[in-house]
Amino acid sequence: MAKILLEMKNITKTFPGVKALDNVNLQVEEGEIHALVGENGAGKSTLMNVLSGIYPYGTYEGNIIYDGEICKFYNIKDSEEKGIVIIHQELALIPYMTIGENLYLGNERGKACSINWNETYGEADKYLKIVGLEESSRTLIKDIGVGKQQLVEIAKALAKKARLLILDEPTASLNEDDSKALLDLLLKFKQQGMTSIIISHKLNEVAYVADKITVIRDGATIETLDKATDDISEQRIIKGMVGRELTDRFPKRQNKNIGEVAMEVKNWNVYHPLYTERKVVDDVSFKVHKGEVVGIAGLMGAGRTELAMSIFGKSYGTRITGQVFIQGSEVKLNTVQDAIDHKLAYVTEDRKGNGLILSKSIKLNTSLANMRAISRNGVIDGDKEFLVAEEYRDKLKTKCPTVEQNVGNLSGGNQQKVLLAKWMFAQPDILILDEPTRGIDVGAKYEIYCIINDLVAAGKSVVMISSELPEILGVADRIYVMNEGKIVGEIKGEEATQELIMSRILKSSKGEQ
């Protein structure tokens, strides 16, 4: 029988007004990959923050038994000394430092007052080779993509002599190829004896990589499934997560009523803001009708986000040319306020960095894009602001004790609902949704699909960017395929398949028409 490396016993963690963990138990065997799954707010990340010392000993009840002894971690340094290393969903790398500097930040090579740079870069190159990253350790972080940055984080963990690696949504920002490479790397580490705990909402990846799967719901342990003996199909995992069968992942739209063109973009060109000779959006034209969901599919780096942000008040790019027509008239959207005034909204893929003010309340974040509506003579009406926030909290089923709560304390799915509420309150006619379900669970995804259906049923227009092809296929009426900054295909929703979308991308990459 395999040795139990980690046991978390009766872990209970309470925040003001919320019991985040309620008597949670977890056992992880040495050399296995153990997945933690559950809806947003279930307590997965909280449990791992307890384990890694982010929530120090004394702030929770219960015991952590690691390698046969009871551990009291007062900070991350304590857990790392035992070989427990956590990699968070938001990567903790400094863009203008080299890979090598990031790898050994806080863990420097050399003497007290002198860093040995030859040792630093030599050791860093060794760990980059282990994770399969073909980059010099002297390369700046800002000059490599997100997939490579994720590998740097893993190399950084290895440099800390990790014995138990915790990964929180490691593939949330990665494309399919990078995700598969990362999961295969974990399987390789497993063969070498490393133990991993992975938190993920991508259930197909969980089924691929995990030996055991522990389901957490509402802060409590529901069950642990063993790949060797149990059914670990997506439907079975979902049943444990949401407490019921979820037979249809995408709610059906009733009585589709697609009307006239709401927005048309013609011959749109955008150049990179720093590398101004590099064209990132190349002569793109598309349109969306009233009551229609238009999907934009493509691989990471295809130019989808750059297209959306540049249309939305030129918030990205330089040397932008082309035309935008809204309700049949050409408009000039030179600022974000111009876009809002023309009833256009953009829900960013980066809710924490660009979409929300995490240190402020749900109430403030909800009203942020339409302060005029809750103000009089430049003074905010606090009562009106509160009522608006309550209205959208009820409408979107946002889980929170009060709208006075800081957004940073919400789960990812509930943060996403606040972001949607912010832009819905701006009363747009056209919404561009950029990865609206990234990093959220299947239950919260379903609720967001229902919100999208309600919006188009009310005559609004939705442009949806998603890297998840099943999602695009399940939601969109029409799909534009982007690759290398260009539109390379337009497909009716009922005719679209994953294979057809990928074939358009691959043909365009080869230069075929």
Side-chain angles (χ1 to χ4, degrees), residues 13 52 69 102 139 170 183 203 243 248 263 284 287 365 368 406 442-443 470 488 506:
K13 172 69 178 170
S52 59
E69 63 178 75
N102 273 276
T139 304
L183 297 175
L203 301 185
D248 195 346
M263 180 176 76
V284 164
K287 58 189 172 187
N365 276 278
L368 209 52
N406 282 358
V442 286
V488 296
L506 294 172

Side-chain angles (χ1 to χ4, degrees), residues 280-490:
V280 290
V281 177
D282 189 355
D283 202 34
V284 164
S285 297
F286 73 94
K287 58 189 172 187
V288 57
H289 297 78
K290 290 181 180 178
E292 183 183 37
V293 180
V294 164
I296 301 184
L299 302 177
M300 188 176 292
R304 297 165 302 161
T305 293
E306 292 83 351
L307 171 65
M309 290 181 68
S310 60
I311 293 168
F312 186 64
K314 297 184 177 175
S315 31
Y316 174 90
T318 187
R319 296 168 59 194
I320 298 170
T321 58
Q323 295 172 288
V324 179
F325 296 85
I326 292 180
Q327 317 302 351
S329 301
E330 185 174 0
V331 294
K332 300 295 182 187
L333 309 179
N334 292 319
T335 66
V336 168
Q337 191 60 55
D338 287 343
I340 294 170
D341 290 344
H342 284 92
K343 301 291 186 181
L344 175 64
Y346 169 65
V347 179
T348 175
E349 64 175 338
D350 182 8
R351 60 178 172 261
K352 292 189 175 181
N354 295 327
L356 299 166
I357 303 175
L358 299 181
S359 60
K360 297 296 181 183
S361 67
I362 296 166
K363 180 180 73 174
L364 174 80
N365 276 278
T366 301
S367 60
L368 209 52
N370 193 13
M371 300 292 269
R372 295 172 187 169
I374 49 123
S375 305
R376 188 172 181 179
N377 298 326
V379 179
I380 293 171
D381 183 334
D383 291 339
K384 196 170 184 181
E385 186 181 35
F386 182 85
L387 290 172
V388 164
E390 282 285 332
E391 177 191 342
Y392 281 95
R393 171 194 181 183
D394 294 342
K395 192 180 286 185
L396 303 188
K397 301 186 178 75
T398 308
K399 292 177 186 173
C400 58
T402 168
V403 294
E404 302 286 358
Q405 184 178 16
N406 282 358
V407 169
N409 294 331
L410 298 179
S411 68
N414 288 304
Q415 287 180 358
Q416 193 67 26
K417 289 180 182 179
V418 175
L419 183 57
L420 277 169
K422 165 185 163 182
W423 287 111
M424 286 169 67
F425 179 53
Q427 304 298 317
D429 292 328
I430 304 147
L431 286 95
I432 303 175
L433 308 179
D434 194 351
E435 303 285 3
T437 65
R438 172 172 288 168
I440 64 176
D441 63 78
V442 286
K445 282 182 178 182
Y446 188 89
E447 291 176 347
I448 285 174
Y449 302 145
C450 289
I451 292 164
I452 291 170
N453 286 355
D454 290 344
L455 288 166
V456 291
K460 308 290 186 186
S461 306
V462 172
V463 177
M464 181 176 175
I465 296 168
S466 177
S467 297
E468 295 187 33
L469 291 184
E471 179 171 81
I472 286 277
L473 296 171
V475 175
D477 299 302
R478 258 184 327 117
I479 299 166
Y480 289 99
V481 183
M482 273 191 84
N483 189 41
E484 296 174 354
K486 299 177 181 179
I487 297 284
V488 296
E490 179 185 350

Side-chain angles (χ1 to χ4, degrees), residues 74-346:
Y74 292 95
N75 51 49
I76 282 189
K77 205 77 176 168
D78 288 347
S79 63
E80 287 183 348
E81 283 175 3
K82 292 284 187 181
I84 301 171
V85 182
I86 186 167
I87 299 173
H88 295 281
Q89 184 176 349
E90 283 78 31
L91 302 180
L93 299 172
I94 299 174
Y96 285 91
M97 291 179 73
T98 64
I99 293 173
E101 287 171 319
N102 273 276
L103 234 64
Y104 286 103
L105 192 62
N107 186 27
E108 287 79 7
R109 307 290 89 184
K111 298 177 181 177
C113 298
S114 175
I115 294 173
N116 185 329
W117 290 111
N118 287 333
E119 184 183 350
T120 297
Y121 288 117
E123 288 287 305
D125 283 329
K126 181 180 80 175
Y127 287 113
L128 294 184
K129 190 173 181 181
I130 291 172
V131 300
L133 181 53
E134 295 176 1
E135 292 282 351
S136 164
S137 60
R138 297 175 187 271
T139 304
L140 295 179
I141 290 292
K142 74 175 184 65
D143 294 330
I144 61 174
V146 178
K148 290 182 177 181
Q149 289 181 23
Q150 189 70 261
L151 292 178
V152 171
E153 281 282 21
I154 294 174
K156 187 175 176 181
L158 297 181
K160 293 174 180 175
K161 311 300 181 191
R163 190 175 165 199
L164 171 60
L165 187 61
I166 305 165
L167 302 105
D168 192 349
E169 296 290 350
T171 65
S173 299
L174 304 186
N175 63 34
E176 217 165 287
D177 289 342
D178 286 344
S179 296
K180 174 74 163 48
L182 179 60
L183 297 175
D184 286 340
L185 186 61
L186 292 184
L187 291 170
K188 177 185 165 188
F189 288 160
K190 174 191 163 184
Q191 290 173 350
Q192 296 168 356
M194 184 180 284
T195 309
S196 300
I197 298 175
I198 180 171
I199 298 173
S200 180
H201 290 306
K202 296 183 179 179
L203 301 185
N204 60 324
E205 295 181 358
V206 166
Y208 173 69
V209 80
D211 299 299
K212 291 194 183 130
I213 301 163
T214 293
V215 181
I216 297 179
R217 187 168 75 232
D218 297 329
T221 314
I222 301 300
E223 60 187 347
T224 295
L225 303 172
D226 189 328
K227 186 185 253 182
T229 56
D230 298 317
D231 173 16
I232 60 163
S233 64
E234 289 188 44
Q235 285 303 122
R236 176 64 186 84
I237 299 169
I238 289 167
K239 185 179 178 183
M241 286 170 59
V242 302
R244 65 185 190 282
E245 297 279 358
L246 195 60
T247 52
D248 195 346
R249 302 273 282 275
F250 304 99
K252 299 296 181 200
R253 293 233 312 275
Q254 305 298 326
N255 305 318
K256 287 187 185 181
N257 186 19
I258 296 174
E260 62 196 33
V261 174
M263 180 176 76
E264 185 169 10
V265 175
K266 289 184 178 180
N267 310 118
W268 199 253
N269 296 282
V270 181
Y271 287 81
H272 194 283
L274 296 177
Y275 308 106
T276 53
E277 296 306 308
R278 190 174 129 213
K279 189 184 271 193
V280 290
V281 177
D282 189 355
D283 202 34
V284 164
S285 297
F286 73 94
K287 58 189 172 187
V288 57
H289 297 78
K290 290 181 180 178
E292 183 183 37
V293 180
V294 164
I296 301 184
L299 302 177
M300 188 176 292
R304 297 165 302 161
T305 293
E306 292 83 351
L307 171 65
M309 290 181 68
S310 60
I311 293 168
F312 186 64
K314 297 184 177 175
S315 31
Y316 174 90
T318 187
R319 296 168 59 194
I320 298 170
T321 58
Q323 295 172 288
V324 179
F325 296 85
I326 292 180
Q327 317 302 351
S329 301
E330 185 174 0
V331 294
K332 300 295 182 187
L333 309 179
N334 292 319
T335 66
V336 168
Q337 191 60 55
D338 287 343
I340 294 170
D341 290 344
H342 284 92
K343 301 291 186 181
L344 175 64
Y346 169 65

Side-chain angles (χ1 to χ4, degrees), residues 37-56:
V37 300
E39 296 188 89
N40 285 103
K44 310 179 296 296
S45 296
T46 303
L47 184 66
M48 292 300 97
N49 286 342
V50 166
L51 172 58
S52 59
I54 292 171
Y55 298 139

